[in-house]
Amino acid sequence: MDSVEKGAATSVSNPRGRPSRGRPPKLQRNSRGGQGRGVEKPPHLAALVLARGGSKGIPLKNIKHLAGVPLIGWVLRAALDSGVFQSVWVSTDHDEIENVAKQFGAQVHRRSSEVSKDSSTSLDAIIEFLNYHNEVDIVGNIQATSPCLHPTDLQKVAEMIREEGYDSVFSVVRRHQFRWSEIQKGVREVTEPLNLNPAKRPRRQDWDGELYENGSFYFAKRHLIEMGYLQGGKMAYYEMRAEHSVDIDVDIDWPIAEQRVLRYGYFGKEKLKEIKLLVCNIDGCLTNGHIYVSGDQKEIISYDVKDAIGISLLKKSGIEVRLISERACSKQTLSSLKLDCKMEVNVPDKLAVLDEWRKEMGLCWKEVAYLGHLRTSGLAFEPHVKSPWRRILLSP
């Protein structure tokens, strides 16, 4: 999340973005939304993802692809598949973000310029959303930058709100980190331990650790938000698993988040289709990218015999393996590898050839895997933003 929004979401502030004094209010229970409107229908729980276009750390971060899926897509998929929301919304000021949100099945609230500034808080944007949607009683503010969110987490929080009567629930993660007091430069002081006794440092397994907000979501009832709080009333935390607690603020977070989401992310209800065609780029994938030229101008390439064994095993399991190269490789040299694969070389548009092979075999894109760098000269590629996995793996 943007640093401004992150700070606003994790603090208690009033509708104008100024910190409120004292503790959050303790509110009286009532039948619906805290405003005594009866029990004629269940409260409307809306998921709301804030995704403005003006991210300073990573431009258009909210729709940048993470592991083949737009960042915002990971949380929208989890929200929609959880089945606990009467509506799922994205609040944005940007056309491209709106288009991606709609592709994933979310509704879009076009936020005003007044709540799209660098100085705007999350609470500002949520209150504006509520002003336009009187039907909403509870807001589940889900951060777009938490791609490892799972539907089961949202289902449990919705139960805490609806069945156990909490006014607000926010996500936390358990950390085992020792904290020390900060010393200002130029001040002659010594640091002090804040949560440990240095003489009796506990082992990790002997210490429960501490709970920290992880920024994944903040659920709150309308009346609480209208008072200027995202946390208050009958308040509870929801502890998420550490491997699911991923947040992206700056570029350095991106590769870490990508590896985490590939291992622990939620890929949707749809089951993966079996791979039936693997297309491997020759240079840099099958080989190490080095080309040696002999005295008589013949190319010499090296490859790992493990790759040849792997290709043989894939073929025995019924997967078609084909090779492709943008460069005019020597077919005679390649044939000496004895891989027994169909191959095409001197291919300026590898995606076009890949598409031809796919159609020739009667496959959909979800049954195709590609390894290597892919260049295209205008052929449209089906993004399958709703699919649980993108089979196209692009090298840097």
Side-chain angles (χ1 to χ4, degrees), residues 149-258:
L149 184 65
H150 282 242
T152 50
D153 295 318
L154 300 173
Q155 291 164 356
K156 292 174 183 177
V157 172
E159 182 179 352
M160 294 173 70
I161 293 279
R162 286 173 167 155
E163 305 299 328
E164 301 178 39
Y166 286 103
D167 291 304
S168 60
V169 181
F170 54 94
S171 58
V172 300
V173 65
R174 189 173 299 275
R175 303 290 188 199
H176 293 78
Q177 297 172 325
F178 296 131
R179 295 182 293 110
W180 293 78
S181 62
E182 183 176 358
I183 304 300
Q184 300 297 324
K185 291 183 178 180
V187 178
R188 292 186 177 182
E189 294 180 1
V190 294
T191 187
E192 297 289 341
L194 298 178
N195 64 345
L196 80 154
N197 179 356
K200 298 180 179 180
R201 292 175 63 92
R203 299 182 306 164
R204 180 185 177 90
Q205 58 266 40
D206 297 331
W207 182 40
D208 290 337
E210 296 180 330
L211 297 178
Y212 293 82
E213 291 185 20
N214 69 354
S216 285
F217 55 75
Y218 298 84
F219 281 60
K221 292 183 177 178
R222 171 186 279 268
H223 63 282
L224 186 66
I225 296 171
E226 290 176 340
M227 293 175 61
Y229 297 91
L230 286 176
Q231 297 157 299
K234 184 181 178 181
M235 185 168 40
Y237 61 77
Y238 175 82
E239 184 175 349
M240 288 178 60
R241 293 167 57 180
E243 59 267 31
H244 293 169
S245 297
V246 178
D247 189 22
I248 301 174
D249 275 333
V250 293
D251 275 326
I252 196 173
D253 297 330
W254 205 267
I256 298 172
E258 193 153 42

Side-chain angles (χ1 to χ4, degrees), residues 33-76:
Q35 298 181 19
R37 291 178 282 183
V39 292
E40 60 275 4
K41 63 177 181 178
H44 184 119
L45 173 57
L48 179 62
V49 181
L50 305 180
R52 68 189 184 95
S55 172
K56 297 298 183 183
I58 306 174
L60 284 181
K61 170 179 61 179
N62 293 309
I63 55 173
K64 180 179 177 181
H65 279 223
L66 179 77
V69 175
L71 179 59
I72 197 174
W74 291 101
V75 295
L76 289 178

Side-chain angles (χ1 to χ4, degrees), residues 32-150:
R32 184 177 182 269
Q35 298 181 19
R37 291 178 282 183
V39 292
E40 60 275 4
K41 63 177 181 178
H44 184 119
L45 173 57
L48 179 62
V49 181
L50 305 180
R52 68 189 184 95
S55 172
K56 297 298 183 183
I58 306 174
L60 284 181
K61 170 179 61 179
N62 293 309
I63 55 173
K64 180 179 177 181
H65 279 223
L66 179 77
V69 175
L71 179 59
I72 197 174
W74 291 101
V75 295
L76 289 178
R77 179 188 291 156
L80 289 162
D81 286 356
S82 71
V84 299
F85 298 102
Q86 278 86 347
S87 59
V88 176
W89 294 84
V90 171
S91 170
T92 187
D93 60 337
H94 198 278
D95 292 341
E96 290 184 52
I97 296 176
E98 176 177 354
N99 292 336
V100 171
K102 289 179 177 178
Q103 286 177 357
F104 275 88
Q107 301 181 70
V108 174
H109 169 77
R110 286 302 293 239
R111 65 164 80 176
S112 69
S113 59
E114 289 301 311
V115 296
S116 301
K117 302 173 183 177
D118 290 343
S119 58
S120 301
T121 67
S122 295
L123 192 58
D124 293 334
I126 295 171
I127 289 176
E128 183 196 70
F129 169 80
L130 286 177
N131 288 338
Y132 283 88
H133 298 281
N134 293 326
E135 75 280 8
V136 175
D137 301 295
I138 309 166
V139 173
N141 174 214
I142 301 173
Q143 303 293 343
T145 51
S146 299
C148 277
L149 184 65
H150 282 242

